Structures are given as structure tokens and as C-alpha cells.
């Protein structure tokens, strides 16, 4: 239960299961309540794992779990590279 | 879901959840809150979390000052760490803004707010990384700051539920029924709730809710984009903003820099996608003020809708022509920061029939006359 699921934000399996029990039964909500998926990897590692936990807890199939909105940039990029050319 | 309630609140952001909490605190617990998506889906969950008192209209200054007083005790009151941080707001002042900003500080001081006009050198003492070359000074208020909007909403919602409020997420309002211009029920995609009182706290979607009753509110939605960087060591105490460029950014407890910039060319729409134009404008403007931030990695960008009124002040209170419809919308980009006081006042209005602070000037009917408004709209 103390396994880390979200490595960027140090979120454990126990915390995720508790959030699901508290009524946060979508990935978007779990992300906002626990911050998992908000770190440098943007959920690449933890999203499938949390989707699995959510599916098991709610009796759904993993395919039925809605994946959070993917937001640009797709990988972390330094601000300076956007500052160069005009619009 | 219940089929009857004393009050139905539409909207699960800071205003809706705060109103639910404050109604329950005053003993009105037969309340249903309806949210079309998850709590915080709208502007509250998309905002920068800033809490500012440096405004230019008396109404906004008063609401913000009272809200800060409430924010100061909110972590304890709600039993959740809202990550409240009073690092201040540093309002960058360019040469042609100096005279007006000095006047604004005068008004703020007259109302008891300890804001002050400072020199570029003094601004650099507060933010050592600041490039003071382009600026003529700044206004600063130490008790401004920021908090985590997710935590605030979660805290309000949890406490409201503990006291008996029903929160119905993923529930969409389909219509509102009336009889002789008195609200009688709210229809949702999960059933009908009989009620005589509705709070319209649907943010940028409030105008659609009002339209269900034939009420035309002058709010318009505008996309505002925002980004978050990787977490770094603590280097920035205040929120830095500029009304000239529309930029704002602050460092969160976790170390990330969150900031956005308004776009004068943005048309009114419900678009909330993120674009490259924003990233470029943000990078350029932020690096002019803090060149070192060019090295920060951007993790993600997103957007939300401002709910903008013609005078950039909220619409609060009962609606002429429809008995039982209470407006709590039109925050024009500063709803989260004044939510603690606004929601207390809305609860007073509904329960006591009067408010401890006058809000008549913020009623919808003000738009029938001449409009004078808030000048400090950021982003």
C-alpha cells in the first residue's frame, strides 16, 4: 500500500485508494486532489497505473476510464526557446 | 439525488461551493449543489490562485480586503491546508502609469489597505531577480498573495457535505421552471428538484443559465491561457503582475511558477484550448521582467474562461423579474480571490434577507444606467 504510484509527486497507492473511496472517481479529479500527473512526466508513468486502480475499485474496465486531457508541450521545454521569433 | 431542496446552487467552483458552505454554516443545510462536470472544472480550477486587494473600485477593494481576512483563517476553519501564502502582489508600473497608480494607492489607503508605491530599487529588494530597467516603479501590498484553488474548493465542499449539503457532480441543468415569475423547480439530466431559490454560480456559463429564465445578463466569456513550469527552489515571494502587458506570475508552495498573460486580440468565445501564440507572448514578456526564468522548463499549458461584465465587477443578488434567482457571477477574472466574502454575503442575503455589507451597487439592474468600472483587470 505504500508503493509510490506517482513518482514525480510522491503519491502512494494508499493515498489514491483513499481518494477513490472519498468519491473522486475520475482521473481528472484524482489529479486535482492529489497532484498525480502534474509533475515533470505529466502522468506518463502514473496515469495507466491509476486507471488500473480506478477500474478495479469501481468495477469498470480500464478502457472505460477516461484519460485526462493531454496538455502541450508534450515534453518539458525551456521558456527561452519560445521567446525568440515574432508571432 | 433529492427531489426537493430549500436552495439549489448551480456551479461547483469557489463561488458555488463557498455558498453551499456558508448556507450550511447559517443552518440552511437542505441544499443541493449541481455541477455539470467535476468540482473545479471551470474557472476556479483553471485560475492562477492569486488573491489581490489592490483594485480601483471601492466595491472590489472592500470585497477583497474582507476575503483576505477570511482566507487568513480558512485552512483552520475548513480543516485543510489551502496553501495560503501572503507574499504580496507587486504591480509593475511603467512610466505612463505612475500618476494613475499613485491615485489608486491613495484610494486603497483611504479604505485601510496598506498598499504603497515603491521605486524600482525597492522592487528589486523584494524580487532580486527582477529586471528593473524597463520599469518606473511598482505598487506593493504585502497582505496580497495566493492559495491553492483545488484545496479551497475541496475544503468548502467537504465541510458543506458534512453539514448535510448534497453535492451532485456530473449533473447538468436542463431547465428552470417558474410559476407566476417565481422559481418552482430545477430540471437536470438526473431528475427534477423542486425549489424556490436558485443561485446562479455557473461562471462563464451563467448567462446560459439566466437565459433559461429569459433573463439577459451582459456577461461574455473570454479565453485566458496559463502555464506551469517545473518546480525550482524558492526565488519569488510576491505575485508579479502588469496591467499594461497583462502578465501575472507567482511561485507556488511546490516551487512551480504559474502564470498567464491576457491577449487583447482574443475574441469572446468558449474556446479553452492552449496555443503557441500564448507561449511565445508569455515567454517574451516574463523574460523581460525576470530574464532568469527563460531557463525554466514549461510543463504544461491550459486555459479557462473569464466571465466578463461591462464594468468588470461581479453581479450579485436577486434578479428583478424572477423571484428566487440569485446571481453570483460575472467576476471578470477575480472570482476566486473574493469568493470567501461574496459567498458569505450571498448566504446572508438568502437566509436573513439582508447583507452585512451593502451589495446593491453590484445588482444586475446597475447595467440599466451609465457604467463606471474596475480598471485593474489582469490577463
Amino acid at each position: 500500500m505504500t508503493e509510490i504510484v506517482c513518482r514525480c509527486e510522491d503519491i502512494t497507492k494508499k493515498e489514491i485508494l483513499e481518494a477513490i473511496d472519498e468519491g473522486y472517481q475520475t482521473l481528472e479529479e484524482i489529479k486535482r486532489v492529489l497532484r498525480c500527473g502534474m509533475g515533470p512526466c505529466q502522468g506518463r508513468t502514473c496515469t495507466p497505473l491509476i486507471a488500473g486502480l480506478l477500474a478495479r475499485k469501481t468495477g469498470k474496465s480500464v478502457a472505460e476510464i477516461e484519460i485526462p486531457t493531454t496538455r502541450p508541450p508534450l515534453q518539458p521545454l525551456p521558456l527561452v526557446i519560445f521567446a525568440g521569433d515574432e508571432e | 439525488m433529492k427531489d426537493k431542496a430549500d436552495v439549489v446552487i448551480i456551479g461547483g467552483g469557489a463561488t458555488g461551493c463557498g455558498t453551499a458552505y456558508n448556507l450550511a454554516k447559517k443552518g440552511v443545510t437542505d441544499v443541493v449543489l449541481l455541477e455539470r462536470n467535476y468540482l473545479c472544472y471551470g474557472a476556479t480550477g483553471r485560475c492562477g490562485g492569486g488573491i489581490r486587494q489592490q483594485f480601483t473600485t471601492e466595491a472590489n477593494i472592500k470585497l477583497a480586503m474582507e476575503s483576505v481576512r477570511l482566507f487568513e483563517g480558512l485552512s483552520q476553519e475548513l480543516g485543510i491546508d489551502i496553501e495560503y501564502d501572503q507574499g504580496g502582489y507587486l504591480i509593475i508600473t511603467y512610466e505612463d502609469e505612475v500618476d494613475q497608480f499613485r491615485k489608486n494607492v491613495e484610494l486603497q489607503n483611504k479604505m485601510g489597505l496598506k498598499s504603497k508605491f515603491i521605486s524600482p530599487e525597492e522592487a528589486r529588494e523584494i524580487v532580486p531577480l527582477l529586471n528593473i530597467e524597463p520599469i518606473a516603479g511598482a505598487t506593493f501590498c504585502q497582505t496580497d498573495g495566493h492559495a491553492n484553488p483545488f484545496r479551497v474548493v475541496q475544503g468548502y465542499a467537504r465541510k458543506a457535505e458534512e453539514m448535510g449539503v448534497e453535492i451532485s457532480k456530473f449533473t447538468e441543468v436542463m431547465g428552470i421552471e417558474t410559476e407566476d415569475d417565481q422559481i418552482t423547480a430545477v430540471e437536470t439530466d438526473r431528475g427534477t428538484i423542486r425549489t424556490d431559490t436558485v443561485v446562479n454560480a455557473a461562471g462563464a456559463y451563467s448567462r446560459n443559465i439566466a437565459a433559461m429564465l429569459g433573463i439577459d445578463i451582459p456577461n461574455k466569456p473570454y479565453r485566458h491561457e496559463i502555464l506551469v513550469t517545473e518546480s525550482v527552489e524558492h526565488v519569488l515571494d510576491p505575485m508579479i503582475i502588469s496591467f499594461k502587458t497583462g502578465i501575472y506570475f507567482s511561485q507556488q508552495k511546490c516551487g512551480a511558477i504559474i502564470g498567464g498573460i491576457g491577449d487583447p486580440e482574443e475574441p469572446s468565445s468558449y474556446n479553452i484550448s492552449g496555443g503557441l501564440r500564448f507561449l511565445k507572448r508569455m515567454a517574451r514578456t516574463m523574460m523581460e521582467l525576470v530574464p532568469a526564468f527563460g531557463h525554466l522548463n514549461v510543463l504544461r499549458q491550459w486555459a479557462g474562461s473569464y466571465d466578463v461584465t461591462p464594468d468588470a465587477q461581479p453581479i450579485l443578488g436577486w434578479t428583478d423579474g424572477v423571484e428566487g434567482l440569485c446571481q453570483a457571477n460575472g467576476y471578470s477574472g477575480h472570482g476566486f480571490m473574493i469568493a470567501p466574502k461574496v459567498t458569505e454575503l450571498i448566504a446572508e442575503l438568502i437566509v436573513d434577507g439582508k447583507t452585512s455589507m451593502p451589495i446593491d451597487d453590484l445588482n444586475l439592474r446597475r447595467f440599466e444606467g451609465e457604467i463606471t468600472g474596475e480598471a485593474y483587470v489582469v490577463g
Side-chain angles (χ1 to χ4, degrees):
Chain A
M1 291 295 265
T2 54
E3 302 105 286
I4 300 282
V5 174
C6 169
R7 297 189 297 196
C8 301
E9 300 285 338
D10 284 349
I11 309 298
T12 64
K13 183 175 171 185
K14 182 166 179 276
E15 287 172 284
I16 290 164
L17 294 175
E18 280 170 1
I20 298 171
D21 281 337
E22 220 196 299
Y24 301 106
Q25 306 206 336
T26 61
L27 288 173
E28 293 281 16
E29 289 174 285
I30 293 169
K31 175 180 169 184
R32 280 158 183 77
V33 170
L34 293 178
R35 296 193 55 79
C36 30
M38 288 192 176
C41 95
Q42 288 294 289
R44 277 181 185 73
T45 314
C46 64
T47 300
L49 298 171
I50 302 168
L53 292 172
L54 201 50
R56 222 169 307 155
K57 272 286 233 184
T58 56
K60 291 180 180 167
S61 73
V62 175
E64 286 174 280
I65 304 295
E66 234 174 282
I67 300 300
T69 311
T70 305
R71 303 196 188 279
L74 291 176
Q75 67 178 59
L77 290 171
L79 267 171
V80 67
I81 70 164
F82 299 106
D85 54 329
E86 290 301 308
E87 263 126 67
Chain B
M1 198 173 66
K2 284 194 213 181
D3 62 2
K4 190 180 166 296
D6 287 341
V7 182
V8 171
I9 299 165
I10 302 171
T15 301
C17 293
T19 302
Y21 167 74
N22 278 298
L23 282 171
K25 208 172 135 186
K26 289 182 79 69
V28 176
T29 58
D30 188 12
V31 174
V32 178
L33 183 148
L34 304 172
E35 164 55 50
R36 182 171 60 170
N37 218 303
Y38 46 84
L39 297 183
C40 257
Y41 169 81
T44 298
R46 293 164 186 277
C47 78
I51 297 166
R52 158 165 68 101
Q53 302 158 96
Q54 298 180 73
F55 281 97
T56 68
T57 70
E58 293 197 11
N60 278 338
I61 296 169
K62 189 86 197 295
L63 286 171
M65 286 177 70
E66 288 289 315
S67 290
V68 160
R69 197 177 53 76
L70 294 167
F71 269 120
E72 284 169 348
L74 209 55
S75 286
Q76 200 183 1
E77 187 173 339
L78 299 179
I80 184 170
D81 176 11
I82 64 163
E83 298 176 4
Y84 186 48
D85 181 6
Q86 288 179 294
Y89 254 62
L90 187 78
I91 302 181
I92 298 297
T93 310
Y94 294 97
E95 195 60 55
D96 59 344
E97 295 174 317
V98 172
D99 293 346
Q100 185 58 50
F101 285 16
R102 281 190 187 277
K103 279 187 204 140
N104 297 341
V105 167
E106 254 173 58
L107 171 69
Q108 291 155 5
N109 291 167
K110 199 183 88 189
M111 294 186 66
L113 184 67
K114 289 190 175 117
S115 56
K116 58 185 177 184
F117 193 89
I118 60 175
S119 68
E121 290 72 25
E122 287 171 306
R124 193 170 52 194
E125 273 169 39
I126 296 167
V127 182
L129 292 175
L130 188 67
N131 170 28
I132 59 172
E133 207 177 305
I135 77 174
T139 72
F140 183 69
C141 176
Q142 183 66 64
T143 52
D144 289 347
H146 54 87
N148 182 331
F150 300 136
R151 296 290 190 91
V152 171
V153 164
Q154 198 186 351
Y156 276 142
R158 216 188 250 167
K159 278 280 172 198
E161 282 186 309
E162 277 171 26
M163 290 187 278
V165 170
E166 182 177 327
I167 293 182
S168 191
K169 299 183 285 190
F170 304 103
T171 307
E172 187 168 355
V173 173
M174 311 304 285
I176 301 171
E177 288 170 24
T178 57
E179 241 178 69
D180 300 329
D181 294 329
Q182 160 67 55
I183 288 175
T184 54
V186 176
E187 292 163 42
T188 79
D189 56 355
R190 295 175 59 195
T192 299
I193 309 165
R194 279 183 294 135
T195 187
D196 60 11
T197 306
V198 167
V199 179
N200 183 7
Y205 300 89
S206 297
R207 67 173 188 171
N208 303 340
I209 297 294
M212 289 174 178
L213 290 156
I215 298 292
D216 187 21
I217 58 176
N219 312 23
K220 282 189 181 167
Y222 284 93
R223 174 178 69 164
H224 279 262
E225 297 183 70
I226 180 166
L227 61 77
V228 62
T229 72
E230 63 191 325
S231 292
V232 290
E233 73 176 276
H234 186 85
V235 291
L236 181 61
D237 288 335
M239 172 83 85
I240 295 181
I241 66 174
S242 159
F243 295 105
K244 184 178 271 300
T245 61
I247 197 169
Y248 66 93
F249 54 96
S250 67
Q251 188 169 25
Q252 311 306 301
K253 280 259 163 85
C254 65
I257 308 288
I258 288 186
I261 186 167
D263 191 336
E265 288 173 34
E266 184 70 33
S268 174
S269 80
Y270 282 113
N271 176 14
I272 49 167
S273 60
L276 188 58
R277 176 184 156 89
F278 159 73
L279 267 185
K280 288 179 171 179
R281 298 180 71 245
M282 185 69 194
R284 220 174 290 143
T285 313
M286 180 142 87
M287 283 175 60
E288 190 189 48
L289 291 173
V290 184
F293 282 179
H295 300 291
L296 290 175
N297 280 311
V298 182
L299 289 190
R300 68 182 171 277
Q301 63 177 114
W302 66 96
S305 294
Y306 272 27
D307 179 28
V308 179
T309 62
D311 63 0
Q313 299 193 99
I315 300 177
L316 304 177
W318 301 117
T319 312
D320 293 342
V322 180
E323 283 292 311
L325 178 62
C326 183
Q327 306 289 351
N329 51 59
Y331 298 104
S332 310
H334 46 263
F336 170 70
M337 61 182 76
I338 57 172
K341 188 59 186 181
V342 163
T343 58
E344 199 179 88
L345 293 169
I346 295 292
E348 287 173 6
L349 184 67
I350 291 169
V351 181
D352 309 329
K354 57 182 177 10
T355 53
S356 55
M357 185 186 132
I359 55 169
D360 292 345
D361 289 350
L362 296 172
N363 193 282
L364 176 61
R365 71 178 77 91
R366 74 181 181 273
F367 295 112
E368 287 159 18
E370 196 187 327
I371 297 163
T372 53
E374 171 62 56
Y376 272 8
V377 179
V378 73

